[in-house]
Amino acid sequence: MMVVHDRREGAAVAAALLRVDVDELYAHSIDVPEIDAFFYWQPIRGGAHLLVARDGSALFAISSLALADMIEPFRNGRRTDPALFDRWVG
């Protein structure tokens, strides 16, 4: 099992899933301590939103969905199947 220790490691996970530059995602990220996760966003119209858990799992959302809308599903265990990223960004 992977362990994500900090926001930089989470950015590497997010960048690999979205196939984007890790530094760009790190620059557009925050800690979300209430769910022990990290939030990343692409600052472009239609860009992805991604919550990354300490175990390396992630929840993807379209840019029109706010972080506040993602917290409860994430807290309840909702995650995006990593195989779906191949279809979306492959």
Side-chain angles (χ1 to χ4, degrees), residues 2 4 8-18 22 25 50 52-53 56-58:
M2 168 186 276
V4 175
R8 171 60 75 177
E9 287 182 5
V13 170
L17 290 170
L18 297 174
V22 67
L25 280 184
L50 205 63
V52 176
S57 63

Side-chain angles (χ1 to χ4, degrees), residues 22-70:
V22 67
D23 291 327
E24 176 189 331
L25 280 184
Y26 183 72
H28 298 97
S29 64
I30 59 170
D31 293 349
V32 189
E34 63 267 32
I35 54 173
D36 197 25
F38 308 101
F39 180 63
Y40 304 90
W41 68 92
Q42 293 177 291
I44 57 173
R45 184 178 181 92
H49 286 179
L50 205 63
L51 276 168
V52 176
R54 295 281 182 171
D55 67 1
S57 63
L59 177 62
F60 171 88
I62 58 175
S63 64
S64 61
L65 197 63
L67 169 60
D69 298 323
M70 297 174 69

